[in-house]
Amino acid sequence: MPVSKETLIELYRTMLKIRLFEERVAEIYWEGKSPVFNIAADPIPGEMHLYIGEEAVATGVCAHLRPDDMVAGTHRSHGHYIAKGGDLKKLMAELFGKKTGLCQGKGGHMHLFDANLHFGCGGIIGAGIPHAVGAALAFKMQGKDNVAVSFFGDGAANIGAFHESLNLAAIWKLPVVFIVEDNLYAISVPKSKSTAVKSNAERAAAYGMPGVLVDGMDVMAVYEAAGEAIARARRGEGPSLIECLCYRYKGHFEGDPQLYKPEGEEEEWRKKDPIPNFRAKLIKEGILTEEEAAKIQAEVKALVDEAEKFARESPWPEPEEALKHVFL
Amino acid sequence: MPVSKETLIELYRTMLKIRLFEERVAEIYWEGKSPVFNIAADPIPGEMHLYIGEEAVATGVCAHLRPDDMVAGTHRSHGHYIAKGGDLKKLMAELFGKKTGLCQGKGGHMHLFDANLHFGCGGIIGAGIPHAVGAALAFKMQGKDNVAVSFFGDGAANIGAFHESLNLAAIWKLPVVFIVEDNLYAISVPKSKSTAVKSNAERAAAYGMPGVLVDGMDVMAVYEAAGEAIARARRGEGPSLIECLCYRYKGHFEGDPQLYKPEGEEEEWRKKDPIPNFRAKLIKEGILTEEEAAKIQAEVKALVDEAEKFARESPWPEPEEALKHVFL
Amino acid sequence: MGERIISMYEAIAEAIAQEMERDPRVFVMGEDVGFYGGIFGATTGLWKKFGDERVRDTPISEMGFVGAAVGAALEGMRPIVEVMFVDFTGACFDQILNHMSKIQYMSGGQLKVPVVLMTAIGGGYNDAAQHSQCLYGLFAHLPGLKIVIPSTPYDAKGLMIQAIRDDNPVMYFFHKGLMGLPWMTIIEATWAPVPEEPYTIPFGVADIKREGKDVTIVAVAMMVHRALEAAQKLEKEGISVEVIDLRTLVPLDKEAIINSVKKTHRLLVVDEDYLSYGMSGEIVAIVAENALEYLDAPPKRVAVPDVPIPYSNTLEDFVIPSADRIAQAVRELVG
Amino acid sequence: MGERIISMYEAIAEAIAQEMERDPRVFVMGEDVGFYGGIFGATTGLWKKFGDERVRDTPISEMGFVGAAVGAALEGMRPIVEVMFVDFTGACFDQILNHMSKIQYMSGGQLKVPVVLMTAIGGGYNDAAQHSQCLYGLFAHLPGLKIVIPSTPYDAKGLMIQAIRDDNPVMYFFHKGLMGLPWMTIIEATWAPVPEEPYTIPFGVADIKREGKDVTIVAVAMMVHRALEAAQKLEKEGISVEVIDLRTLVPLDKEAIINSVKKTHRLLVVDEDYLSYGMSGEIVAIVAENALEYLDAPPKRVAVPDVPIPYSNTLEDFVIPSADRIAQAVRELVG
Ligand SMILES: Cc1ncc(C[n+]2csc(CCOP(=O)(O)OP(=O)(O)O)c2C)c(N)n1
Ligand SMILES: Cc1ncc(C[n+]2csc(CCOP(=O)(O)OP(=O)(O)O)c2C)c(N)n1
Ligand SMILES: [Mg+2]
Ligand SMILES: [Mg+2]
């Protein structure tokens, strides 16, 4: 199917938004953490898992989603949330722990929820997979044509919830798409040491569902595979699995010395960087001019600036608010 | 490979031992439960899951095992224990809850342990699978050529522990064999409603291990497939999965009205009853005479009689013993 | 009306049926909840009435389907999910510990998780260590879960309807021995009058099953009945026992406990869950914190003595609190 | 000798290394325990010394590898299995609840399960609801698990060696904030003298960190240090505080608690775990049962107020007990 110029530019803009947002997050994160790294130091405290390098995956998938489709993310979900159409200001404020944050400062970087966007994520590996299955079950029971998408890592594909969820989705023929973000590692453990098959796409057969392996550094490859799977799900034809081969340029979390990565590996993958490559392609194909690209860059940067400013200026939650929201 | 006469007769004897033992257990179980069924009534109280109809599976597999090979059973494990060479007297006494029982009355029907036979089982579906993996890991680390065998049902193949265990066994190339006892049902839920593939043998591919489907009503088919897998494991060539198609003639537990079984299904499977069929085959092939068969029958019956007598005459544990063995 | 006598399992199934009729968002899932009607009968008749979709049999995939219940709740459904025995919650504990109980909070109150997780508790019928636990004390320790434990058919129905209508995650524990199942030891109280029309019982309101002036016994589920049995015996000995059925551990009716102890000056907590670090300690602590000066004797606890539930009759009877053991503890308290 | 100063994470790794050298049956597995040395450093240096087989990285398969540890223990090994954060025990809870803790008992004492499950606890660094829990109260509720919670490098080493040599299942909880990691807030006590040679510390023996005569504070892990900080402040106000570090919850040194309260007549339990139905209730209950007449004031508890751990600084600081909150509670106790 031909893809419109607007869509192509939107894909580019979204990837860039994720990249620039996260680069800014990293800057702010380290602002309080040098010369001495203390994980609890402000402005952004706690663990920080960045998605830099994997932007094509979230972007290519979420481009097919409506606001009322459901996404279950991971511990590394800024990208998923932004691709789903998330609000940068609220997201940044949440990372700062401010009252104006997505979750009023209660969730934090790993626990982002947006009821309006039907978005959730969490810090327990594999736990979001059944949530997506349940959301898909709800859509089916409600007679809606919505779909649910579950993102998770290559490491997560070895946890029991993966197996149970794919089986449930298959026997109940649910509108859910499983996206494996294979970035070669689970923290320091390479996929080759953790996973008994080459690609998790092969595992789809264990549930009688289609499984494909795509180049996760190529937003168009992801876009096409996801488009097919999501359309299939919307038509009521059941679940699919897509494994996207990609790479995280940063450590598992900020501060990870990454000693487990072999020499030269990152450089190889840098050549496949989804963002400059896609930009070059769009320019080469005449879809984007250098000027337009620069304008997009400036617009996105302005959004990120605004988000940072909003977060910095926002108030802290009152301490006593900690006691609210256990029960509603 | 040719199978010796002794082995063939031993296979027959073992199947018969399981059958006659369990038929007796059923009799004794109902002794206290008619006219009014009260699950807590003596002589054998509690839930009762019988293996009748599935004897060929445990028998064909365990015939290849040594006493120091490890078996992890299920909630339906009398057959596994007997096939592993278990002691009928201690087993029966355990079912009665007597002090002379395998576990001094603490374990009961679903929780049979025999340290000398490296046998254990339990009432939580799927939980024994990782135990077998761990035992196999121990054997490997100890430089032994022992193997571990995990038995579990078609229902259990849908729980997360199945996935995690098979993956671990495969990446670590452990000497473990996974036996799926596919008896078509998990309590009332038919496999067709619970399992997204036709045979779990297909799922072996998700772990890069061999998977085969065999006729679980034919002890020789099981014996051969298991022989190959166990020999492979002993040689250090890693795990395998065997799905054995079989049938439980009784309810999920004694007292189950079995309304979920379609009319005529049991009769069809009765025709394939592994014990009379194998008996007939052995006689037809001249391996066993009618007289020898009758003698075996009498010997086995005597063992069961003895076990019953032992259990009935054994003393109860002292109440205060309940406080022992939490810590050793 | 109030005089129709039904069992606890029928009361639960009726509550669910009435709510399913009222609210199309309510549905049930779990192992053998469909055609079979639930191993302990809690979904009897529902499948026939509502069909495969709304009364959904699941594979043996507790993590998957409890997680799916959470996901469905996030998308506007109101799932009732059965985990057959509380002992099996080990297979889905992460979904309870980190998601069902925490998403409302982590989302800053944006999202509701109106799941009812119902599960069977209790021993006394030789089902041994992995099928006889109570464990409600463990779940009560986790913020974000309402903990409901009925002891009568009447309460079972009213508390179930309340649970389904509550916007928060609820764990609903029914005691196998109290369900009134024909294949369990019969206990009179398991068949009792239950109104046909729907009604609710608010959470956090204990039920004083019996007034007394010498000792307060606090209990839930089967232990309420054992305590009542003990109280009857003790009455003949001239000891007047008040028996409080908490009905919910979260929220907890501290008021009722404290007021009773202020009256009786003596406390016994009876628990079929394990003794240490559980319900019994919490109740004693609350009384010590709030009514210390009223206590005429050190409080006592009768519970499972920190051992797994053994299989054999003699052993199981020794560890699960009996009316005799309860009565003995009361005598020591007043003695 | 005793003057070598090391961190708690080094002390743990050293204990494990020494036991691995002594006993070939001891091995370690878990996520990132190999080359990486454990996310909190508890296996630092082991992989280099002992290699892939005995220091085994696992996939993210907690149910599988904790179950495998149980299976390996049944076949004569002595596994140390790391579950990275206690919050993740939800993913393998069945193996702890129904197998690791129960097989010895269910087998009638035939089988030993000498597994050490080690895991990280605690908050205070904005890791929020799913990475900051303590939960030891929950595990202490389950019969069959020894519960170990060191608060100093010295104790960490001695208790780890004891845990490895113990024939029973042990849950060993280390507090992230006490590990002495360079990337965490520095707390002086996290670097301390630790002898090089192996030594053991018996389970069930509390450590009186500080003698006092007005109030007894009972605590574990980080709260021991917060209590000591509070005690120092209070000393200047003329209030003399005794601080007891339980070190193990199972077995529990009831004696030490009771004797201290008999001396001070006042009890405060401080807990970084959730308030209700946990450790704090149990300790208060034990004192009420055994030393009621000695109490001059109702006992008090300072703990996480039954909410998940929130992310934001202002919120997290509000829920995790601080030295100030502890001091305030002591003042109320003596006031
Ligand atoms: C159940 C559970 N086990 C372990 C962890 C610790 N942990 C956090 S991220 C991670 C690696 C995840 O790898 P992968 O799924 O490939 O995702 P990636 O980080 O590569 O995006 C681990 C082990 C966790 N959060 N939850
Ligand atoms: C984790 C867990 N979930 C549910 C159960 C209840 N249960 C006991 S046996 C059984 C069915 C098992 O089916 P299958 O694995 O096919 O074995 P079969 O009984 O057919 O031999 C179920 C659901 C359990 N014991 N453990
Ligand atoms: Mg990864
Ligand atoms: Mg089956």
Side-chain angles (χ1 to χ4, degrees):
Chain A
M1 50 169 176
V3 182
S4 73
K5 184 178 155 171
E6 289 68 38
T7 299
L8 293 169
I9 293 176
E10 202 45 40
L11 289 171
Y12 176 65
R13 183 192 300 274
T14 300
M15 288 199 291
L16 194 66
K17 213 196 265 184
I18 300 172
R19 176 71 57 94
L20 296 190
F21 179 85
E22 285 209 321
E23 286 180 346
R24 184 69 56 85
V25 167
E27 264 177 53
I28 301 170
Y29 187 77
W30 286 95
E31 178 186 318
K33 296 191 184 59
S34 33
V36 178
F37 186 99
N38 177 341
I39 192 170
D42 283 335
I44 298 181
E47 281 184 69
M48 178 51 62
H49 310 86
L50 297 175
Y51 196 65
I52 293 176
E54 310 184 28
E55 296 89 344
V57 180
T59 302
V61 172
C62 294
H64 300 282
L65 298 180
R66 309 194 296 235
D68 58 356
D69 289 328
M70 187 268 199
V71 165
T74 65
H75 56 292
R76 193 185 297 289
S77 261
H78 304 157
H80 308 134
Y81 179 61
I82 294 172
K84 186 80 184 8
D87 182 323
L88 297 194
K89 292 201 301 190
K90 287 191 188 171
L91 175 58
M92 189 68 93
E94 186 64 24
L95 303 187
F96 275 67
K98 295 298 183 71
K99 167 130 189 77
T100 55
L102 254 180
C103 306
Q104 301 185 34
K106 282 192 170 142
H109 149 71
M110 282 191 276
H111 318 95
L112 305 167
F113 296 90
D114 188 329
N116 296 325
L117 284 177
H118 297 246
F119 180 86
C121 65
I124 306 294
I125 298 303
I129 315 178
H131 299 163
V133 169
L137 176 61
F139 295 146
K140 192 176 183 196
M141 291 182 77
Q142 293 158 354
K144 295 179 181 167
D145 73 341
N146 286 105
V147 303
V149 172
S150 169
F151 290 94
F152 51 92
D154 52 294
N158 294 313
I159 204 162
F162 165 88
H163 177 64
E164 297 185 9
S165 299
L166 269 74
N167 187 57
L168 287 176
I171 57 171
W172 294 341
K173 225 177 168 190
L174 299 179
V176 53
V177 177
F178 302 101
I179 308 289
V180 189
E181 303 182 315
D182 177 4
N183 61 7
L184 311 194
Y185 294 97
I187 311 188
S188 72
V189 180
K191 189 183 171 199
S192 57
K193 271 186 77 176
S194 72
T195 307
V197 279
K198 259 222 119 90
S199 159
N200 282 295
E202 298 170 39
R203 288 181 165 170
Y207 315 98
M209 72 172 75
V212 294
L213 176 66
V214 305
D215 179 356
M217 305 302 272
D218 176 355
V219 70
M220 291 316 298
V222 175
Y223 181 81
E224 268 162 41
E228 213 166 293
I230 290 168
R232 197 171 164 272
R234 270 200 221 291
R235 287 193 308 264
E237 294 168 20
S240 321
L241 179 148
I242 303 172
E243 176 150 291
C244 302
L245 200 58
C246 58
Y247 196 75
R248 63 165 154 78
Y249 293 143
K250 310 276 295 189
H252 172 72
F253 31 46
E254 289 298 280
D256 172 4
Q258 302 192 67
L259 303 174
Y260 50 82
K261 284 187 177 173
E263 198 78 41
E265 187 179 75
E266 184 177 325
E267 286 74 71
E268 277 313 300
W269 284 89
R270 284 276 177 194
K271 293 182 198 149
K272 305 185 210 164
D273 191 327
I275 298 176
N277 283 344
F278 194 56
R279 184 181 192 276
K281 180 183 142 102
L282 293 185
I283 288 173
K284 183 161 155 240
E285 291 179 5
I287 290 166
L288 203 63
T289 63
E290 286 285 355
E291 295 68 45
E292 284 163 344
K295 187 162 164 269
I296 291 173
Q297 184 98 14
E299 284 165 5
V300 170
K301 181 179 173 301
L303 285 175
V304 173
D305 289 343
E306 182 193 29
E308 179 180 344
K309 186 162 183 293
F310 176 77
R312 288 198 191 266
E313 293 174 358
S314 286
W316 296 100
E318 291 301 317
E320 292 73 20
E321 286 176 34
L323 302 178
K324 277 196 223 153
H325 299 140
V326 179
F327 295 119
L328 301 177
Chain B
M1 51 170 178
V3 182
S4 74
K5 184 177 157 176
E6 290 69 38
T7 300
L8 293 170
I9 293 176
E10 202 44 42
L11 290 170
Y12 176 65
R13 184 192 300 272
T14 300
M15 287 199 291
L16 194 67
K17 215 197 265 183
I18 301 172
R19 176 71 56 94
L20 295 192
F21 180 86
E22 285 208 321
E23 285 179 347
R24 184 70 55 86
V25 167
E27 264 177 53
I28 301 170
Y29 188 77
W30 286 96
E31 178 186 317
K33 296 191 183 57
S34 33
V36 179
F37 185 98
N38 177 343
I39 192 169
D42 283 335
I44 298 179
E47 281 184 70
M48 179 51 61
H49 310 84
L50 297 176
Y51 196 63
I52 293 176
E54 310 184 28
E55 296 89 347
V57 180
T59 301
V61 172
C62 294
H64 299 284
L65 298 180
R66 308 194 297 235
D68 58 354
D69 289 327
M70 186 266 199
V71 165
T74 65
H75 57 292
R76 192 185 298 290
S77 261
H78 304 158
H80 308 134
Y81 179 61
I82 294 172
K84 185 80 182 14
D87 182 323
L88 297 195
K89 292 200 301 190
K90 287 191 189 173
L91 175 57
M92 189 67 93
E94 187 64 25
L95 304 187
F96 276 67
K98 294 296 181 76
K99 167 129 189 77
T100 54
L102 254 180
C103 306
Q104 300 184 34
K106 282 192 170 141
H109 149 72
M110 281 190 277
H111 318 95
L112 305 168
F113 296 90
D114 188 329
N116 296 325
L117 284 177
H118 297 245
F119 181 87
C121 66
I124 307 295
I125 297 304
I129 316 179
H131 299 163
V133 169
L137 176 61
F139 295 146
K140 193 177 182 194
M141 292 183 77
Q142 292 158 355
K144 296 180 181 165
D145 73 342
N146 287 105
V147 305
V149 172
S150 169
F151 290 94
F152 52 91
D154 52 294
N158 294 313
I159 204 161
F162 164 89
H163 177 63
E164 297 186 8
S165 300
L166 270 74
N167 187 57
L168 288 176
I171 56 168
W172 294 341
K173 226 179 166 186
L174 298 179
V176 52
V177 178
F178 303 101
I179 307 289
V180 190
E181 303 183 314
D182 177 4
N183 61 8
L184 311 194
Y185 294 96
I187 310 188
S188 72
V189 179
K191 188 182 172 202
S192 57
K193 271 187 78 176
S194 72
T195 307
V197 279
K198 255 215 120 94
S199 158
N200 282 295
E202 297 171 40
R203 288 181 164 170
Y207 315 98
M209 74 172 73
V212 294
L213 175 65
V214 305
D215 179 355
M217 307 302 271
D218 176 355
V219 70
M220 291 316 298
V222 176
Y223 181 81
E224 267 162 40
E228 214 166 294
I230 290 169
R232 200 173 164 271
R234 269 199 222 291
R235 288 194 307 266
E237 292 169 19
S240 321
L241 180 149
I242 303 172
E243 176 149 292
C244 303
L245 201 58
C246 58
Y247 196 75
R248 64 164 155 76
Y249 292 143
K250 310 276 297 188
H252 172 72
F253 31 47
E254 290 296 282
D256 172 5
Q258 303 192 67
L259 302 174
Y260 50 83
K261 284 188 177 173
E263 198 78 41
E265 187 179 75
E266 186 178 324
E267 285 75 74
E268 276 313 301
W269 284 90
R270 284 275 178 196
K271 292 183 198 148
K272 304 185 210 165
D273 191 326
I275 297 176
N277 282 345
F278 193 56
R279 184 181 192 277
K281 181 183 140 101
L282 292 186
I283 287 174
K284 182 158 155 244
E285 292 179 4
I287 290 168
L288 204 63
T289 62
E290 286 286 355
E291 294 70 43
E292 284 162 342
K295 186 161 163 269
I296 292 173
Q297 185 98 15
E299 284 163 5
V300 171
K301 182 179 171 301
L303 285 175
V304 173
D305 288 343
E306 182 193 28
E308 179 180 345
K309 184 162 183 292
F310 177 77
R312 287 199 192 267
E313 293 175 359
S314 287
W316 296 100
E318 290 302 316
E320 292 73 19
E321 286 176 33
L323 303 178
K324 278 196 223 152
H325 300 139
V326 178
F327 294 118
L328 300 178
Chain C
M1 214 35 187
E3 280 320 297
R4 182 189 55 146
I5 305 278
I6 61 174
S7 67
M8 193 194 281
Y9 81 82
E10 290 168 308
I12 295 173
E14 180 171 284
I16 298 174
Q18 289 175 343
E19 287 302 290
M20 286 182 75
E21 262 157 20
R22 192 186 59 80
D23 185 344
R25 300 169 303 173
V26 177
F27 73 102
V28 184
M29 60 180 164
E31 291 152 14
D32 306 281
V33 299
F35 178 86
Y36 201 99
I39 296 300
F40 302 105
T43 57
T44 300
L46 298 180
W47 178 81
K48 212 164 160 195
K49 210 172 206 148
F50 300 101
D52 264 342
E53 282 282 307
R54 288 185 74 196
V55 185
R56 187 175 289 267
D57 274 335
T58 63
I60 308 175
S61 306
E62 279 85 358
M63 194 70 92
F65 69 76
V66 172
V70 171
L74 292 173
E75 286 301 337
M77 302 299 286
R78 300 184 82 88
I80 300 166
V81 61
E82 178 169 288
V83 174
M84 198 184 288
F85 289 66
V86 74
D87 313 70
F88 310 161
T89 54
C92 54
F93 194 64
D94 173 55
Q95 285 295 337
I96 303 170
L97 170 68
N98 287 317
H99 311 282
M100 192 171 129
S101 63
K102 291 189 172 66
I103 286 177
Q104 297 191 159
Y105 188 83
M106 295 191 298
S107 76
Q110 285 176 84
L111 292 167
K112 288 190 290 197
V113 188
V115 172
V116 179
L117 190 158
M118 71 174 174
T119 188
I121 60 169
Y125 64 103
N126 310 81
D127 227 3
Q130 299 176 335
H131 286 72
S132 304
Q133 298 173 88
C134 283
L135 299 181
Y136 38 68
L138 186 153
F139 293 99
H141 182 55
L142 305 176
L145 301 170
K146 298 198 176 176
I147 303 294
V148 178
I149 317 169
S151 73
T152 67
Y154 180 87
D155 286 357
K157 179 170 175 180
L159 291 167
M160 176 53 86
I161 293 180
Q162 180 74 18
I164 296 169
R165 294 184 188 174
D166 197 299
D167 276 348
N168 299 286
V170 176
M171 305 256 319
Y172 183 101
F173 300 86
F174 54 77
H175 194 291
K176 287 162 266 176
L178 292 179
M179 288 292 264
L181 293 160
W183 45 277
M184 284 272 181
T185 304
I186 302 302
I187 290 180
E188 257 176 70
T190 60
W191 290 76
V194 174
E196 280 180 45
E197 69 278 9
Y199 58 94
T200 59
I201 296 176
F203 293 163
V205 181
D207 187 20
I208 299 180
K209 303 302 275 192
R210 178 193 166 102
E211 305 218 358
K213 53 189 182 33
D214 298 328
V215 175
T216 297
I217 299 185
V218 174
V220 294
M222 180 64 88
M223 292 302 114
V224 171
H225 302 285
R226 297 268 162 92
L228 288 169
E229 203 185 319
Q232 265 181 342
K233 284 191 209 191
L234 291 162
E235 191 169 27
K236 294 178 199 134
E237 303 174 22
I239 303 173
S240 164
V241 176
E242 178 142 316
V243 177
I244 298 183
D245 177 0
L246 293 174
R247 299 201 288 199
T248 63
L249 295 188
V250 179
L252 178 67
D253 192 347
K254 295 188 191 185
E255 213 62 8
I257 302 166
I258 294 165
N259 288 340
S260 175
V261 172
K262 285 186 177 171
K263 183 176 73 171
T264 64
H265 303 277
R266 286 182 182 80
L267 172 69
L268 172 68
V269 186
V270 182
D271 194 1
E272 194 182 331
D273 200 350
Y274 306 117
L275 173 67
S276 296
Y277 302 96
M279 175 188 113
S280 65
E282 183 65 20
I283 305 301
V284 170
I286 285 170
V287 168
E289 288 168 324
N290 295 284
L292 186 74
E293 61 277 31
Y294 293 89
L295 285 171
D296 284 351
K300 274 192 170 292
R301 301 188 266 171
V302 173
V304 172
D306 293 332
V307 301
I309 308 297
Y311 169 73
S312 178
N313 281 330
T314 55
L315 304 174
E316 191 184 25
D317 289 350
F318 182 76
V319 306
I320 297 183
S322 61
D324 281 346
R325 235 173 100 202
I326 296 167
Q328 189 48 36
V330 170
R331 282 182 209 112
E332 289 165 18
L333 260 175
V334 298
Chain D
M1 213 38 188
E3 280 318 300
R4 184 189 53 148
I5 306 277
I6 62 173
S7 66
M8 193 192 282
Y9 81 83
E10 289 168 311
I12 294 173
E14 181 171 284
I16 297 174
Q18 289 175 343
E19 287 302 291
M20 286 180 74
E21 263 157 18
R22 192 186 59 80
D23 185 343
R25 300 168 303 173
V26 178
F27 73 103
V28 184
M29 62 178 164
E31 292 152 14
D32 306 282
V33 298
F35 179 86
Y36 200 98
I39 296 301
F40 302 105
T43 57
T44 300
L46 299 181
W47 177 81
K48 215 167 155 192
K49 209 171 207 152
F50 300 101
D52 265 342
E53 282 283 307
R54 289 184 73 195
V55 185
R56 187 176 288 268
D57 274 336
T58 63
I60 308 175
S61 306
E62 281 84 358
M63 193 71 90
F65 70 76
V66 172
V70 171
L74 292 174
E75 286 302 336
M77 302 298 286
R78 300 183 82 88
I80 300 166
V81 61
E82 179 170 289
V83 174
M84 197 184 290
F85 289 67
V86 74
D87 314 70
F88 309 160
T89 54
C92 54
F93 194 63
D94 173 55
Q95 286 295 337
I96 303 171
L97 170 69
N98 287 317
H99 311 281
M100 194 171 126
S101 63
K102 292 191 172 68
I103 286 178
Q104 298 191 157
Y105 188 84
M106 293 190 300
S107 76
Q110 286 177 82
L111 293 166
K112 288 191 291 199
V113 188
V115 172
V116 179
L117 191 159
M118 70 174 175
T119 189
I121 59 169
Y125 64 103
N126 310 82
D127 228 4
Q130 299 176 335
H131 286 71
S132 304
Q133 299 174 88
C134 283
L135 299 181
Y136 39 68
L138 186 152
F139 293 100
H141 181 54
L142 304 176
L145 301 170
K146 299 200 175 176
I147 303 295
V148 178
I149 317 168
S151 74
T152 68
Y154 180 87
D155 286 357
K157 180 171 174 180
L159 291 168
M160 177 52 87
I161 293 181
Q162 179 74 21
I164 296 170
R165 296 185 187 172
D166 197 299
D167 277 347
N168 299 286
V170 176
M171 305 256 319
Y172 183 101
F173 299 86
F174 54 76
H175 194 291
K176 288 162 265 176
L178 293 178
M179 288 293 264
L181 294 160
W183 45 275
M184 283 271 180
T185 304
I186 303 299
I187 290 179
E188 257 175 69
T190 61
W191 289 76
V194 174
E196 280 179 46
E197 68 277 10
Y199 59 93
T200 58
I201 296 176
F203 293 163
V205 181
D207 187 21
I208 300 182
K209 304 301 274 191
R210 182 194 162 102
E211 305 219 357
K213 52 187 180 35
D214 297 328
V215 176
T216 297
I217 299 185
V218 174
V220 293
M222 180 64 88
M223 293 302 115
V224 171
H225 302 285
R226 296 268 163 92
L228 288 169
E229 204 186 319
Q232 264 181 341
K233 283 190 211 193
L234 291 161
E235 189 169 29
K236 295 179 197 130
E237 304 175 20
I239 303 173
S240 165
V241 175
E242 179 144 315
V243 176
I244 297 183
D245 177 0
L246 293 175
R247 299 200 291 197
T248 64
L249 295 188
V250 178
L252 178 67
D253 191 349
K254 295 188 190 184
E255 212 62 8
I257 303 167
I258 293 166
N259 288 339
S260 175
V261 172
K262 285 186 176 171
K263 182 176 72 171
T264 64
H265 303 277
R266 287 182 182 81
L267 171 69
L268 172 68
V269 186
V270 182
D271 194 0
E272 193 182 333
D273 199 352
Y274 306 117
L275 173 68
S276 296
Y277 302 95
M279 174 187 112
S280 65
E282 182 65 21
I283 305 299
V284 170
I286 285 169
V287 168
E289 289 168 323
N290 294 285
L292 187 73
E293 61 278 31
Y294 292 89
L295 285 170
D296 285 352
K300 272 191 172 293
R301 301 188 268 171
V302 173
V304 173
D306 293 332
V307 302
I309 308 296
Y311 169 73
S312 179
N313 281 330
T314 56
L315 304 173
E316 191 185 24
D317 290 348
F318 182 74
V319 305
I320 297 183
S322 62
D324 281 346
R325 235 173 99 202
I326 296 167
Q328 190 47 39
V330 170
R331 284 184 207 108
E332 289 167 18
L333 258 176
V334 298

